[in-house]
Amino acid sequence: MDEALCTWTSSPPVFSQSCYGISDCGFQYVVGDWSECSTDCGNGYRSRPLTCLRDDGVAVDLSQCQQLGLPAPDTQMHCAAVAGCTYTVVPGGWGPCSVECLQYRELFCYRSDGTLADLVLCGPRPVFVQDCCG
């Protein structure tokens, strides 16, 4: 209703009032903002605060909303972060000498949280092939 279109003979009517007993009140969950990821490299979680509010805006114990069977919003979620990761090349052992007199080894790239990563993320790489007949 657009109150500007109304002509009041006295003060406007009250559309809400404080509640005094639990039976007089409505309740709702209110969530805050999500936190940053709990880690800067790897898998972590984000969380957000949860409050139970009465219709009059007063925060009450979460049990008030729970007792009414209100479905609680999620307060935690998984996240993954890579911005703070560092990467390290770990060379494997040298293989046998081939008939072409070459020896090869594998190179592995690990993130600082221990996860195997794509080799292109590791930057400069050690030698992975060498002459073995000389």
Side-chain angles (χ1 to χ4, degrees), residues 65-87:
C65 285
Q66 293 164 347
Q67 287 174 2
L68 293 171
L70 297 177
D74 290 334
T75 58
Q76 207 168 53
M77 66 187 265
H78 293 282
C79 59
V82 294
C85 295
T86 56
Y87 297 87

Side-chain angles (χ1 to χ4, degrees), residues 5-132:
L5 300 176
C6 296
T7 305
W8 304 107
T9 54
S10 60
S11 61
V14 175
F15 292 104
S16 65
Q17 62 184 24
S18 294
C19 52
Y20 299 100
I22 290 179
S23 62
D24 298 331
C25 298
F27 296 88
Q28 66 178 342
Y29 284 114
V30 176
V31 293
D33 293 333
W34 287 107
S35 68
E36 296 295 320
C37 193
S38 63
T39 183
D40 59 353
C41 180
N43 294 318
Y45 65 91
R46 297 175 71 182
S47 60
R48 62 182 176 178
L50 181 64
T51 306
C52 180
L53 287 185
R54 287 193 320 216
D55 280 346
D56 62 357
V58 174
V60 296
D61 192 84
L62 287 175
S63 64
Q64 298 294 323
C65 285
Q66 293 164 347
Q67 287 174 2
L68 293 171
L70 297 177
D74 290 334
T75 58
Q76 207 168 53
M77 66 187 265
H78 293 282
C79 59
V82 294
C85 295
T86 56
Y87 297 87
T88 305
V89 174
V90 177
W94 290 105
C97 191
S98 70
V99 293
E100 295 89 12
C101 291
L102 295 175
Q103 223 174 0
Y104 295 90
R105 66 178 174 181
E106 285 189 274
L107 301 177
F108 303 94
C109 178
Y110 289 95
R111 252 183 5 202
S112 50
D113 68 342
T115 302
L116 189 61
D118 192 311
L119 196 55
V120 298
L121 297 171
C122 275
R125 298 177 196 125
V127 173
F128 66 94
V129 62
Q130 69 180 2
D131 182 356
C132 55

